[in-house]
Amino acid sequence: MALAGLLVPLLCTAVVVPAAPTPVWCFARLEEEGGGGACTEQLGDEPVPLDDCCLNPAYGYKLRPHSHCHTCRQGAWGPWAPWSSCSVTCGEGTQRRGRSRSPGGGGDRREWELRVCHLPCCPEPGGWSPWAPWAGCSVSCGEGTEGRSRNCADPAPRCGGGCGPGVAQETRKCQGKTPTCPVGGAWGSWGPWGACAGTCRGAGPTPGRSRSRRCDSPPPSVEPPGPACPGAETETAPCPGLRPCPGVEHWGPWGAWTSCERRLWGPVSCEPAVGQQRRTRECVGRRPGGPPCPMEPGGGTIQLRPCYNVKNCLLPGNWSDWSPWGLCTPPCGASPTRSRTRECQPIYPAYPPTMTPVGSSVPINVTFWGVARPRCAPLEGQLLRLVETRPCLHVLPCPHPDED
């Protein structure tokens, strides 16, 4: 019985379990300047008990890794938290921030500050002005369009606002003064040349030939009347290739140009010195005492021109583009091929392109004469001419000698 009496008090005694320590992230420095409230110099990578961290009252701590920073000083206010976002997205609003006091002091544990914040003005819609009158029709005949407009200015919007639904311009179909437009005529193709009015070229005007065309592509409209085709319905031109009539004086062909030389100095080459060339022709069929050949714009028996002599001159060069492919050779033989070429072409010097003869105010062109010696960068081992050859494919068989 005595043993039982001793056990009852023991069973009724409450078991006291100590409270678990508050885990915090501990920092050696608390930046309180300017209300920043930033903890720096973290002590360790893992949380530690609050009591252990605050053995040094200068330390700070965070209850979570990215939460607000608190001070370890008893009863001391911690740093201010950052200002909150502005309460509005435009115009005037407010921001709030707070701070807390560490345990051990009296009074409120939290303190707040509120300030005004200003953001850009809020968009204010505008209003459409009344429509302007319809503008005139875009055409004077047939169907066209006309338009009218209005402005977003009654009142004008502010701060990026708009005018709401609607458009600033609108169009509609309209009818011109006359329902149908006149159609102007257009010429058709020229017809073939007619027969020549002569068979040879004599002393008079050269015989001519003519051709015509019709104003039918399309023809001018009748109602309302459309404009006629501009220009002439027929044209006349001298007959080409006519030989001189027998017994009639005529100019023979021009001879070749002479070398480019400079009078009194002889040949001039590879320098910007203007030389001169000449060529001649004869009056064929002129009888002694007979009339001379007719004068032509090209001159009489002698023709002169200024020139630069570049014969055999060493000049820089550029490779030409590929020439078109040639014909297949041989045309009737085994394995015909075709080829194309690139040539090293000279770059002519930048000499003055014209000159003004003595006693004249009209400049004339100066011609390069002679075959120069161009120098190009080697192209596939070639210096002057590159040839590419390919076989001709699907060659037709050669016809039998008896066939056409």
Side-chain angles (χ1 to χ4, degrees):
M1 292 294 293
L3 181 57
L6 292 173
L7 289 175
V8 172
L10 291 174
L11 292 174
C12 294
T13 302
V15 178
V16 179
V17 179
T22 302
V24 297
W25 279 260
C26 194
F27 297 84
R29 295 187 60 185
L30 177 64
E31 302 288 347
E32 299 185 56
E33 295 295 331
C39 286
T40 60
E41 299 183 16
Q42 182 174 340
L43 301 175
D45 297 329
E46 300 295 331
V48 298
L50 174 61
D51 293 341
D52 292 349
C53 179
C54 289
L55 292 174
N56 187 334
Y59 283 4
Y61 65 91
K62 292 182 178 181
L63 297 175
R64 292 180 300 278
H66 302 291
S67 65
H68 183 62
C69 190
H70 303 271
T71 179
C72 283
R73 290 194 298 271
Q74 293 291 323
W77 287 105
W80 288 102
W83 288 101
S84 67
S85 308
C86 196
S87 59
V88 295
T89 57
C90 60
E92 181 179 308
T94 57
Q95 291 175 283
R96 177 179 283 110
R97 69 175 182 176
R99 63 177 179 175
S100 58
R101 185 161 52 182
S102 61
D108 295 335
R109 294 286 307 279
R110 297 282 288 173
E111 184 179 18
W112 303 97
E113 283 186 342
L114 187 69
R115 71 177 182 183
V116 172
C117 52
H118 294 275
L119 294 177
C121 58
C122 297
E124 296 182 14
W128 290 109
S129 66
W131 285 104
W134 287 101
C137 196
S138 60
V139 295
S140 59
C141 59
E143 186 178 272
T145 58
E146 60 183 355
R148 65 176 182 174
S149 62
R150 60 180 178 175
N151 297 318
C152 182
D154 191 18
R158 296 182 66 250
C159 302
C163 253
V167 293
Q169 294 180 333
E170 64 179 6
T171 59
R172 68 181 181 183
K173 294 181 179 180
C174 60
Q175 188 69 43
K177 294 181 179 179
T178 56
T180 306
C181 294
V183 177
W187 291 110
S189 301
W190 285 104
W193 286 103
C196 194
T199 58
C200 62
R201 178 167 48 89
T206 302
R209 58 179 181 170
S210 63
R211 62 178 181 174
S212 62
R213 57 183 176 175
R214 300 181 63 182
C215 185
D216 59 359
S217 297
S221 59
V222 178
E223 186 60 40
C229 294
E233 185 177 3
T234 62
E235 70 171 353
T236 303
C239 297
L242 291 180
R243 294 185 178 183
C245 297
V248 177
E249 299 81 5
H250 63 276
W251 289 111
W254 285 105
W257 288 104
T258 62
S259 301
C260 184
E261 298 181 350
R262 197 169 187 180
R263 294 171 60 185
L264 305 180
W265 282 276
V268 288
S269 61
C270 309
E271 58 180 292
V274 178
Q276 191 179 76
Q277 292 177 274
R278 59 181 290 167
R279 64 178 180 176
T280 60
R281 62 180 177 177
E282 294 182 356
C283 182
V284 180
R286 183 181 182 186
R287 296 181 300 275
C293 287
M295 293 301 297
E296 296 178 353
T301 58
I302 300 176
Q303 199 173 45
L304 304 176
R305 72 176 181 183
C307 56
Y308 293 119
N309 191 338
V310 293
K311 185 177 181 179
N312 294 327
C313 296
L314 295 177
L315 298 178
N318 276 332
W319 286 102
S320 69
D321 294 331
W322 283 108
S323 68
W325 286 101
L327 297 175
C328 296
T329 56
C332 275
S335 304
T337 60
R338 58 177 181 156
S339 62
R340 61 177 182 172
T341 60
R342 293 183 70 179
E343 306 281 347
C344 177
Q345 298 178 341
I347 301 174
Y348 289 103
Y351 295 163
T354 61
M355 66 162 294
T356 303
V358 177
S360 173
S361 60
V362 180
I364 58 177
N365 293 331
V366 184
T367 304
F368 285 99
W369 175 84
V371 179
R373 296 165 58 190
R375 289 187 172 182
C376 294
L379 182 62
E380 297 184 17
Q382 302 300 314
L383 297 177
L384 294 177
R385 190 167 184 265
L386 179 64
V387 181
E388 181 181 8
T389 302
R390 289 184 182 178
C392 296
L393 305 178
H394 311 294
V395 179
L396 293 171
C398 289
H400 192 272
D402 296 335
E403 296 179 11
D404 292 337

